[in-house]
Amino acid sequence: MSRKRTNGHPGDTHTFDLFDDTAAEMREQREQREPSEPTPTAATEQVSAYLALSDTAELLALCERWVARGWLRDLDRALVRFFAMEAPDAPPLLLLGAALASHQLGRGHVCLDLNATLSAPDFALSLPPEGDDLTDPPPLPSQVLAPLTLADWQAALNHPLLASDGPGNTPLVVSNNGNTTKLYLRRYWQYEQTLHQEIAHRLEAMNADGESALLPDALTILFDNTGTLDWQKTACALAARNRFGIITGGPGTGKTTTVVRLLALLQTLQLAAPDDQPLRIRLAAPTGKAAARLNESIAGQVNNLPIDQLEQLLTNRVMSEDETRRSATKTRSLHPVNKQFEERFNTVSSSAIAIPTEVTTLHRLLGAHPDTRHFRHNAANPLALDVLVIDEASMVDIEMMTAVLRALPAQAQLVLLGDKDQLASVEAGAVLGDLCRRAEAAHYTPETAQWLEHATGQPLPPDYIDAQGQPLDQAITMLRVSHRFNEHSGIGQLAQAINQPSHNHRPEEKHQAVNQVLRHGYPDLHHLTLTDDAALDKLVIHGSPDKFINGGEGRTDHNGAPIAPPTGYRHYLNVLNAQRPRGESFEESADAYNDWADALLSAYSHFQLLCALRKGPWGVEGLNLRIAKTLRHEKLLYGSDFTLEKGWYEGRPVLVTQNDYGLKLMNGDIGITLAVPDPRTPGKTLLRVAFPTSDPEKPIRWVLPSRLHAVETVFAMTVHKSQGSEFKHTALLLPPTINPILTRELVYTGITRARDWLTLIEAKRGVMNEAVTREVMRVSGLEGI
């Protein structure tokens, strides 16, 4: 039995002696077996799995089988084949690591964690993927990696052409940190390095505005003294002090309110400085839908700012400074000083404390070049701004966040807004979650605590003070008081129970907390366990208001306004028919049709079914067709089975899945398909899809269905796609079997899309408990800033 390797570094044989010996033995047994001799399937698969660790041809064959099964992407296979061709001596374990690192990128991980992969291969790699029934499967990762040790894999990564420990131009980067080894594709390793450097640089450079003597007075104007710790006030103070800041918090904690006051504060402090012009402020969000929501929220908040008081504060400060200067010169008639005061006073008096209300997408802000990864704005052509605020930052992936930081001027200030507990971006990375890992306990240093008390007049509780606090901790504020969900809200209590940490990792504690909320009888929460199809059909049609206390009647919001009872999809379809313009020309009665579409889009937002999966009967693909047929049975929709599954019909709600700059539609936009009069044929109609816009002159964008190439029906929407949205009545459906996608973050994100009513649906009892104790563990190295 030979001990010579055929696929590795010449002379480097000792690490793989065991693999080579066993693999050769298996190969001999397989070759000696008679062709007619029956081959046990499990034994054959185990031989193939074992050989893949030491033989490149066997590894490539295994990759082919995984790709054919849908376990790997064509891209992953192509990468491995390219490496094998360019470096014929590359160890199969190195090629396998490259394939899995690429696979992990497709799942949102920045790199491959070798330790976690070896500890639980199938779970760490989410293989088999959702929907695989495991009929005649190829070898599982757990079978392939069973005999492998970390030392074996680490040794195989030592290849000068393909992998290095950082600097250089190898396509792979190996990062060893203590007992953890991570394998990166170089581009993503570089993204992490850039983020580390850019954020650290901004944390080192204090913002001059944060040391302004005007800061305490301005904060006093912007925030009422309630006698309790105001985290919004704390957030504004810390953000004014740093060139990089994060404001995180759950739904209803006032993130938008805080950032509007922050911008007013920054603009006030800027105008108080001699010879300074107003700040150039830009607002952005990762998707068009999120940008539109922020635009609406900020427009409403700006009108409530105490602008007059801030401007009076500025005027008084300028006059006081001039009086001090004149006293210092011991004369009141020195012309240059008076002239300087006059110019300064006129500048302040004529400078409005301007707060922008226009919000753009990050792609538009950076100037995305179509069909490329490149942007017009970069380090060589930075953005023309002084302050950038990014909302829904949890949705921003590592590549986009790196592009933003590269395009920021060195002196510019970046503020991230978002909920750290929400699902991370669809693409690779969980930047906000990684940066906010310590936000719960704050970790402010005694120096920061003392500065905050001076600036805000609020002492911090001792629990939030840590002498070992890191620089990043001093730039993060977590808003902790929800103004939307109080102690009487089941939605808020459920969100809190899901997010509470389990002591000593005991899942039963979280199960008990969650079940206590579900059994309590909160007026805005209904827990449904499916026993037949009728309950789900009734919910999507009517909203099942009878399942809520008093049929959903009698509730009011925090302003005392009545809350309408929960509804289902019948509501928007009734609006479609009841408010349709009658006998009017589409072209000549644009306002009437725009009003109709606007009312319909508003009605549609009253109810949304969310689910975890895309495929199968419990995913959007199966549920959308099922719901369409249910609504057709109720004579609310019309069309054949084929039309409902693959065609266009009136009432069809659609979700845009890719940015379309030509049509001015962004990923996440929702439109409704409507029949309007055909101007060419009296009595006939044409289908148009109505999308809302932020333009008051043209509030609705009407689009031909034939021009929409990246849309899907959206009676059911994945939780991932729902990020940045809210619905009056949200129904979250959990499938009957546990799945890697089902995590605490997914459940939390789903339930917090509900504004007034939540129906939590379990296709099988107990899935909820399983899901909330499993957390998304996006692998990255973005820590220790």
Side-chain angles (χ1 to χ4, degrees):
M1 186 162 47
S2 172
R3 298 174 65 86
K4 181 181 178 181
R5 320 186 33 153
T6 58
N7 292 282
H9 298 298
D12 183 16
T13 61
H14 62 280
T15 304
F16 298 94
D17 283 350
L18 174 61
F19 292 145
D20 290 339
D21 287 350
T22 309
E25 196 172 89
M26 288 181 169
R27 190 180 296 108
E28 290 172 7
Q29 292 173 358
R30 185 170 65 179
E31 292 171 351
Q32 292 170 3
R33 188 179 294 119
E34 293 293 332
S36 59
E37 183 181 342
T39 303
T41 302
T44 303
E45 296 291 20
Q46 188 59 53
V47 170
S48 297
Y50 212 85
L51 290 175
L53 297 178
S54 60
D55 188 286
T56 298
E58 293 285 352
L59 174 65
L60 294 176
L62 176 64
C63 290
E64 291 287 349
R65 294 187 65 187
W66 280 358
V67 169
R69 189 76 176 208
W71 292 12
L72 288 185
R73 302 173 297 173
D74 288 332
L75 177 65
D76 309 328
R77 171 182 56 186
L79 181 68
V80 172
R81 285 194 169 277
F82 175 75
F83 285 172
M85 180 176 63
E86 293 295 311
D89 65 336
L93 275 177
L94 173 55
L95 299 178
L96 177 61
L100 297 181
S102 179
H103 164 73
Q104 291 293 72
L105 278 176
R107 297 184 49 249
H109 299 286
V110 175
C111 55
L112 174 71
D113 186 326
L114 271 59
N115 306 61
T117 303
L118 290 175
S119 297
D122 299 343
F123 179 78
L125 299 170
S126 288
L127 294 177
E130 65 166 283
D132 194 303
D133 59 6
L134 288 181
T135 301
D136 190 26
L140 295 168
S142 54
Q143 294 174 279
V144 175
L145 300 175
L148 190 62
T149 68
L150 180 61
D152 296 328
W153 212 345
Q154 288 172 329
L157 300 181
N158 181 26
H159 191 287
L161 184 63
L162 296 182
S164 68
D165 60 359
N169 57 4
T170 58
L172 300 173
V173 175
V174 182
S175 173
N176 289 299
N177 182 11
N179 296 322
T180 302
T181 299
K182 295 173 181 175
L183 182 64
Y184 291 82
L185 297 189
R186 175 165 292 278
R187 180 194 302 151
Y188 288 85
W189 176 82
Q190 190 59 60
Y191 290 154
E192 279 195 358
Q193 300 306 303
T194 300
L195 287 182
H196 271 281
Q197 294 162 9
E198 292 288 341
I199 294 175
H201 168 73
R202 283 180 162 76
L203 291 175
E204 289 171 0
M206 287 289 184
N207 193 338
D209 288 344
E211 303 303 323
S212 170
L214 203 64
L215 178 63
D217 293 336
L219 286 171
T220 299
I221 291 174
L222 286 165
F223 294 92
D224 296 330
N225 184 6
T226 60
T228 59
L229 179 59
D230 188 336
W231 285 105
Q232 295 184 19
K233 190 175 185 180
T234 299
C236 285
L238 284 179
R241 191 189 194 199
N242 296 289
R243 288 187 185 160
F244 176 81
I246 297 176
I247 300 174
T248 186
T253 52
K255 294 186 291 293
T256 304
T257 301
T258 303
V259 79
V260 169
R261 294 180 183 180
L262 170 62
L263 297 180
L265 174 66
L266 293 176
Q267 202 70 280
T268 300
L269 300 179
Q270 173 75 4
L271 293 173
D275 305 322
D276 271 334
Q277 297 300 311
L279 292 169
R280 298 168 298 172
I281 300 172
R282 297 295 302 273
L283 309 172
T287 67
K289 179 170 57 177
R293 279 198 60 203
L294 180 61
N295 189 82
E296 294 173 2
S297 300
I298 284 187
Q301 292 286 344
V302 166
N303 295 329
N304 297 324
L305 286 172
I307 296 295
D308 291 344
Q309 296 178 55
L310 292 173
E311 290 178 345
Q312 185 61 51
L313 176 66
L314 276 174
T315 302
N316 294 342
R317 178 53 58 95
V318 171
M319 294 178 67
S320 174
E321 289 175 355
D322 180 70
E323 182 68 29
T324 301
R325 281 195 298 267
R326 285 186 290 171
S327 298
T329 60
K330 300 181 180 179
T331 177
R332 295 180 177 272
S333 61
L334 193 60
H335 180 72
V337 174
N338 288 336
K339 185 176 182 180
Q340 182 181 12
F341 164 72
E342 183 177 353
E343 291 174 351
R344 179 85 186 287
F345 183 82
N346 290 337
T347 299
V348 170
S349 299
S350 63
S351 298
I353 300 177
I355 308 299
T357 57
E358 180 182 353
V359 186
T360 187
T361 64
L362 289 172
H363 281 85
R364 283 187 178 277
L365 176 75
L366 295 177
H369 292 304
D371 303 320
T372 75
R373 311 178 85 102
H374 303 295
F375 299 96
R376 181 164 55 88
H377 291 288
N378 48 42
N381 181 30
L383 294 161
L385 54 77
D386 301 303
V387 179
L388 174 61
V389 176
I390 300 177
D391 192 25
E392 296 290 353
S394 63
M395 300 169 64
V396 183
D397 61 88
I398 191 169
E399 183 175 2
M400 176 58 77
M401 192 67 79
T402 303
V404 169
L405 281 161
R406 283 174 174 164
L408 277 183
Q411 303 303 313
Q413 185 171 357
L414 176 62
V415 179
L416 304 180
L417 293 181
D419 187 343
K420 68 179 180 64
D421 294 310
Q422 276 191 196
L423 280 169
S425 61
V426 175
E427 303 298 330
V431 178
L432 186 72
D434 286 341
L435 295 176
C436 292
R437 286 177 183 174
R438 291 160 54 91
E440 192 79 38
H443 298 284
Y444 297 131
T445 63
E447 178 190 3
T448 298
Q450 183 178 5
W451 181 89
L452 277 172
E453 183 171 1
H454 169 74
T456 66
Q458 303 177 148
L460 286 176
D463 289 347
Y464 298 124
I465 302 175
D466 178 6
Q468 305 302 317
Q470 300 172 3
L472 179 61
D473 299 328
Q474 317 312 306
I476 298 176
T477 308
M478 179 176 170
L479 306 181
R480 303 165 190 268
V481 179
S482 176
H483 303 282
R484 182 187 306 172
F485 304 129
N486 58 26
E487 68 275 12
H488 304 297
S489 167
I491 301 171
Q493 294 300 312
L494 185 59
Q496 185 175 337
I498 288 171
N499 278 337
Q500 75 173 26
S502 298
H503 299 291
N504 300 319
H505 303 285
R506 295 174 58 191
E508 58 271 13
E509 291 183 358
K510 184 165 286 188
H511 296 168
Q512 182 179 0
V514 168
N515 292 330
Q516 185 175 350
V517 173
L518 295 177
R519 293 192 299 263
H520 185 275
Y522 287 101
D524 57 347
L525 176 61
H526 171 221
H527 179 212
L528 170 64
T529 301
L530 293 181
T531 55
D532 55 47
D533 291 345
L536 182 58
D537 292 343
K538 181 180 178 183
L539 172 68
V540 298
I541 296 169
H542 306 287
S544 298
D546 57 303
K547 301 299 182 181
F548 293 86
I549 295 175
N550 296 326
E553 298 283 356
R555 288 186 61 218
T556 59
D557 63 18
H558 61 279
N559 293 320
I563 296 175
T567 60
Y569 288 130
R570 177 189 289 276
H571 174 63
Y572 93 90
L573 292 168
N574 283 343
V575 171
L576 185 156
N577 290 309
Q579 298 190 26
R580 183 195 306 273
R582 306 292 179 182
E584 298 186 58
S585 165
F586 179 61
E587 282 74 16
E588 296 176 358
S589 305
D591 289 344
Y593 282 93
N594 285 342
D595 290 344
W596 175 46
D598 183 64
L600 184 58
L601 287 161
S602 176
Y604 176 81
S605 70
H606 286 203
F607 175 78
Q608 182 65 60
L609 177 67
L610 303 181
C611 57
L613 308 178
R614 290 202 56 81
K615 299 179 180 179
W618 302 103
V620 292
E621 293 179 2
L623 288 168
N624 275 319
L625 181 58
R626 171 180 171 175
I627 294 169
K629 289 181 177 180
T630 299
L631 295 173
R632 181 182 62 185
H633 183 266
E634 293 291 310
K635 295 183 169 47
L636 295 169
L637 293 178
Y638 299 92
S640 65
D641 285 355
F642 178 84
T643 299
L644 295 182
E645 182 175 8
K646 299 182 181 299
W648 289 92
Y649 51 89
E650 186 172 45
R652 180 192 179 193
V654 294
L655 176 77
V656 177
T657 58
Q658 293 179 14
N659 293 340
D660 189 325
Y661 295 104
L663 294 177
K664 298 182 179 179
L665 295 176
M666 297 293 113
N667 183 6
D669 287 348
I670 292 178
I672 306 288
T673 310
L674 298 173
V676 300
D678 185 348
R680 300 166 299 180
T681 310
K684 299 291 185 179
T685 60
L686 293 172
L687 292 179
R688 295 286 187 274
V689 186
F691 291 93
T693 76
S694 57
D695 184 354
E697 299 296 322
K698 296 180 180 179
I700 300 296
R701 180 169 290 111
W702 297 89
V703 182
L704 282 168
S706 60
R707 299 189 66 190
L708 296 170
H709 304 296
V711 295
E712 59 186 31
T713 305
V714 70
F715 289 119
M717 179 191 297
T718 63
V719 175
H720 279 88
K721 287 291 186 182
S722 75
Q723 287 181 270
S725 299
E726 66 176 20
F727 309 97
K728 289 188 176 181
H729 180 193
T730 296
L732 175 61
L733 172 60
L734 302 181
T737 56
I738 200 64
N739 185 286
I741 290 177
L742 286 176
T743 61
R744 174 187 67 81
E745 290 84 355
L746 181 134
V747 176
Y748 170 81
T749 302
I751 67 173
T752 54
R753 299 311 91 202
R755 192 172 74 190
D756 298 325
W757 309 98
L758 172 66
T759 299
L760 177 66
I761 313 163
E762 288 186 279
K764 181 181 179 181
R765 185 174 296 278
V767 174
M768 174 72 169
N769 282 342
E770 289 290 326
V772 298
T773 53
R774 302 169 73 235
E775 297 190 357
V776 172
M777 297 302 293
R778 286 257 173 123
V779 181
S780 78
L782 194 61
E783 68 258 342
I785 295 178

